[in-house]
Amino acid sequence: MKQGIFEIRENRPLNSQVMRLHLRGDTGAITRPGQFVNIRIDGCFLRRPLSVCDWDKDSLTVVYRVVGRGTEQLSRMESGSLDLLTGLGNGFDLAPAGEKPLLIGGGLGFTPLYALAKQLIAEGKRPQVLLGFATAAQVVYEEEFKALGCAVTLCTEDGSRGLKGFVTQTMAGLDYSYFYTCGPEAMFKAVNDCTVTSGQFSFEQRMGCGFGACMGCSCETLYGVKRICKEGPVLRKEEIKWQT
């Protein structure tokens, strides 16, 4: 973990609710896709945890939904600087990916999968990407994944764009070597039940400190209590204890 000041280079809407924030600063603490940053917003008691969508040696990008006072205030910042904690969380492990990994994103769950796809392709892998949204108006980053060279399947619940239904309804018969997924927890049990390989889940959860001190984001796994902000947000399929 590292604290630093980042300069806002871009903060623009991708649709009516979703923003893309590009920041310049020291990203040396970020070592793998799936990690997150914690952003201090003036007037807010707690920092806002946001997944890293992309990064290089001196800049990073996050994509976030405007859902409350903190993110609404953040969305109005066109310039200036932000105090960030970077290099937080335990990101994706690329070692078991195999040649044809499957990346499954529900809603803004695509965010950490974009950097993951870039690194998998750099290693010579051929990732397949499933993106699920409620409606066409919410679709973002389809073209960005395609530009990387990923095979992309798009689903919307109402059928207004791409295939109609949930991402899990398109998975039957797919040939993949491993899977990675991020999205709402309601989607995860369905993904777990229909996947035929091992895989990794990146959990979205409210956090207090963001680095394991407050224990506020603890969850019970098959191997004891783990903190989503520290031992997570990425957990392996074999360690997750699903609620019945």
Side-chain angles (χ1 to χ4, degrees):
M1 180 184 71
K2 186 172 185 179
Q3 184 173 5
I5 302 301
F6 283 70
E7 177 190 355
I8 297 173
R9 304 304 299 270
E10 177 191 69
N11 191 22
R12 70 177 185 87
L14 297 180
N15 61 33
S16 61
Q17 290 185 309
V18 174
M19 303 285 294
R20 178 164 58 199
L21 173 63
H22 183 64
L23 299 166
R24 184 168 295 277
D26 181 3
T27 62
I30 303 172
T31 59
R32 58 166 65 179
Q35 291 182 298
F36 64 96
V37 298
N38 231 359
I39 301 179
R40 182 178 181 274
I41 300 173
D42 289 343
C44 296
F45 178 67
L46 296 176
R47 292 174 180 262
R48 270 32 182 194
L50 296 173
S51 293
V52 176
C53 181
D54 196 11
W55 86 94
D56 57 28
K57 63 182 178 63
D58 59 7
S59 68
L60 65 86
T61 300
V62 297
V63 177
Y64 64 97
R65 181 178 286 114
V66 181
V67 293
R69 182 171 65 91
T71 48
E72 194 280 330
Q73 182 176 327
L74 180 62
S75 72
R76 290 187 277 106
M77 296 184 66
E78 297 180 358
S79 60
S81 59
L82 290 165
D83 182 319
L84 268 66
L85 300 178
T86 61
L88 299 174
N90 175 40
F92 293 113
D93 180 4
L94 279 66
E99 291 302 311
K100 296 173 63 178
L102 178 64
L103 281 54
I104 310 157
L108 286 195
F110 76 83
T111 304
L113 301 179
Y114 180 76
L116 174 63
K118 285 184 73 172
Q119 291 208 8
L120 288 168
I121 289 171
E123 292 184 0
K125 313 299 185 184
R126 293 177 290 140
Q128 308 168 74
V129 178
L130 300 182
L131 300 176
F133 299 90
T135 186
Q138 296 180 5
V139 175
V140 290
Y141 261 72
E142 178 188 9
E143 297 306 317
E144 283 84 347
F145 276 101
K146 288 180 177 178
L148 293 180
C150 299
V152 178
T153 300
L154 177 68
C155 306
T156 52
E157 294 175 29
D158 62 2
S160 54
R161 186 166 169 183
L163 301 176
K164 183 177 182 179
F166 301 109
V167 287
T168 49
Q169 294 173 289
T170 71
M171 292 172 60
L174 286 180
D175 177 26
Y176 55 95
S177 54
Y178 194 79
F179 75 87
Y180 300 88
T181 185
C182 183
E185 200 163 333
M187 178 188 86
F188 279 178
K189 184 60 165 62
V191 170
N192 180 78
D193 290 345
C194 71
T195 46
V196 297
T197 70
S198 181
Q200 297 170 32
F201 294 76
S202 179
F203 284 80
E204 301 172 335
Q205 191 156 326
R206 296 184 68 87
M207 298 176 184
C209 67
F211 47 83
C214 72
M215 306 295 290
C217 60
S218 298
C219 69
E220 186 70 35
T221 76
L222 294 175
Y223 302 99
V225 174
K226 294 194 175 184
R227 298 159 294 181
I228 293 299
C229 71
K230 187 72 172 179
E231 289 80 33
V234 176
L235 299 177
R236 295 179 183 272
K237 179 178 181 178
E238 293 78 13
E239 65 183 312
I240 298 171
K241 185 176 182 179
W242 300 107
Q243 298 297 320
T244 58

